[in-house]
Amino acid sequence: MHNILEAHTISKKFGDFTALNQVSIEVPKGSIFGLLGPNGAGKTTLIRIINQITMPDSGHVILDGEPLKNHHVKDIGYLPEERGLYKSMKVGEQALYLAQLKGLSKAEAKERLHYWFERLEIGDWWNKKIQELSKGMAQKIQFVVTVLHEPKLLIFDEPFSGFDPINANLIKDEILRLRDNGSTIIFSTHRMESVEELCDHIALINKSNKILDGKLTEVKRQFKNNAYEVGVKTDNIAALHKELTEKFEVSPAQFKTIDDQLKLNVKLGATEKPNDFLQYLTTRGEVSHFVELLPSTNDIFIKAIQNNS
Ligand code: ADP
Ligand code: MG
């Protein structure tokens, strides 16, 4: 797949402090790319470099096949982490002004803004002053202004911070829809909840270094550890529990059942085959549940950072 953005060996220091150390990312066209990492990892610094707000000390960025230049600013919709709107302006007035800065005519801006305001159910805010809005409300306006000119690349820096769960979901759905309509999206986050449903590609930055990246399914494959969630109906739950505990690494499993049974997470050895294990379980009782446990993005995040420090 063609990459809409490539950052090659980007390094950036602030004084003696290295904010980015030889970080490279490749963002396939049409993907939702999660730039993950703890606070202070360097995510915003990389995003600011891609948006030509900060210059890297070394390394270079390729946008849609061309070395990054000033004129590319119009190809990127950028929602900064530090959000600011002019407090005393009215919502509609401000949105129109910002939309025209992105190169839309007034009429076009008005039409698109009305469409988006209806979509996000904020139509009645048009004549309100920005200072009357809550943080989450102001953030919705900024989201609209970021996507309005339909740039080919959208970059959202911590888009969910400041939103309640309902609005966070709404923005999630809009991000998916923007992708389905042909945009490529990069977003940064230090919270993993949003990642699972959204990203198809991720890069994990920790302490200025990229420590992991790739297709989310590949990363999951890399981190899965031959673990299964099992449920077995047997007359002697305690005996089977003891037997399994002696043979495998087990922990309690939480899933709903209507009758009593042994519920366990079981980690098999690296060479043990799930089919053999399943067959063995059937000799001990009635297997009601057998599911491979895949690591969550949160598990991966924690494990990768532990391995790295
Ligand atoms: P993240 O977005 O992953 O939380 P940042 O990229 O904002 O992290 O910051 C990475 C590190 O670089 C932090 O330690 C931060 O304090 C430092 N940093 C960022 N910008 C500057 C700057 N302009 N001057 C000095 N230090 C900075
Ligand atoms: Mg940041």
Side-chain angles (χ1 to χ4, degrees):
M1 203 188 326
H2 175 70
N3 293 325
I4 189 141
L5 182 104
E6 293 177 8
H8 292 280
T9 56
I10 303 281
S11 292
K12 177 72 186 176
K13 280 190 170 188
F14 295 108
D16 287 340
F17 178 78
T18 302
L20 290 171
N21 181 29
Q22 306 263 334
V23 171
S24 300
I25 60 170
E26 292 188 357
V27 181
K29 206 171 213 161
S31 65
I32 300 181
F33 187 98
L35 194 58
L36 318 178
N39 288 320
K43 305 179 296 293
T44 296
T45 304
L46 181 58
I47 286 176
R48 288 169 64 91
I49 287 170
I50 295 168
N51 283 291
Q52 303 181 75
I53 293 163
T54 306
M55 287 297 289
D57 297 336
S58 58
H60 65 284
V61 179
I62 305 285
L63 189 90
D64 214 0
E66 294 173 20
L68 193 65
K69 298 240 170 60
N70 282 340
H71 71 85
H72 286 126
V73 169
K74 69 171 181 349
D75 297 325
I76 304 180
Y78 168 45
L79 178 71
E81 187 175 24
E82 298 301 330
R83 323 225 214 269
L85 294 166
Y86 301 104
K87 292 233 175 323
S88 58
M89 270 175 109
K90 288 193 171 156
V91 169
E93 203 183 351
Q94 166 104 125
L96 270 175
Y97 169 74
L98 292 171
Q100 288 174 84
L101 284 187
K102 304 268 171 77
L104 294 179
S105 73
K106 191 165 183 180
E108 202 175 11
K110 231 178 187 162
E111 193 187 317
R112 291 192 194 184
L113 280 169
H114 281 302
Y115 166 80
W116 272 99
F117 273 49
E118 287 313 309
R119 256 199 94 74
L120 298 187
E121 295 170 357
I122 53 177
D124 47 348
W125 297 0
W126 190 265
N127 284 315
K128 280 198 180 170
K129 284 211 172 139
I130 299 283
Q131 61 197 10
E132 294 175 63
L133 304 181
S134 71
K135 191 174 166 213
M137 289 160 139
Q139 218 167 302
K140 263 188 174 175
I141 310 281
Q142 281 213 292
F143 181 84
V144 169
V145 173
T146 306
V147 305
L148 201 66
H149 63 303
E150 297 174 1
K152 49 187 166 188
L153 179 61
L154 289 163
I155 303 180
F156 303 127
D157 198 353
E158 303 279 355
F160 304 110
S161 75
F163 276 131
D164 60 54
I166 306 222
N167 278 314
N169 257 338
L170 192 121
I171 294 299
K172 246 185 238 176
D173 289 344
E174 291 304 331
I175 290 178
L176 287 168
R177 216 176 51 90
L178 286 160
R179 191 269 317 269
D180 292 344
N181 288 344
S183 296
T184 306
I185 292 119
I186 301 174
F187 76 95
S188 79
T189 184
H190 61 278
R191 296 188 352 220
M192 293 302 109
E193 312 91 272
S194 37
V195 174
E196 212 79 42
E197 306 123 85
L198 278 182
C199 296
D200 35 62
H201 288 72
I202 61 165
L204 178 53
I205 299 183
N206 187 40
K207 294 184 186 153
S208 337
N209 290 282
K210 184 185 74 182
I211 59 172
L212 180 72
D213 70 348
K215 232 176 142 168
L216 188 54
T217 49
E218 287 307 318
V219 172
K220 288 210 173 205
R221 210 185 303 280
Q222 196 183 321
F223 274 79
K224 71 178 194 164
N225 58 0
N226 216 10
Y228 294 81
E229 184 181 71
V230 303
V232 186
K233 291 182 202 169
T234 163
D235 293 337
N236 199 339
I237 291 181
L240 182 57
H241 190 182
K242 185 161 176 287
E243 188 178 324
L244 289 175
T245 306
E246 283 162 3
K247 290 190 176 171
F248 306 99
E249 195 181 318
V250 304
S251 59
Q254 314 287 345
F255 54 92
K256 284 218 162 64
T257 50
I258 50 173
D259 44 20
D260 251 11
Q261 53 186 281
L262 179 63
K263 294 185 236 180
L264 284 179
N265 293 325
V266 181
K267 192 168 171 286
L268 303 184
T271 57
E272 282 165 318
K273 298 273 181 288
N275 263 355
D276 297 339
F277 176 56
L278 175 60
Q279 227 159 33
Y280 153 79
L281 283 181
T282 60
T283 66
R284 294 296 188 274
E286 188 185 323
V287 178
S288 66
H289 185 98
F290 193 87
V291 180
E292 183 175 20
L293 284 173
L294 292 173
S296 67
T297 322
N298 202 43
D299 299 334
I300 293 171
F301 183 92
I302 291 168
K303 205 161 172 190
I305 286 171
Q306 277 169 350
N307 291 348
N308 185 245
S309 48

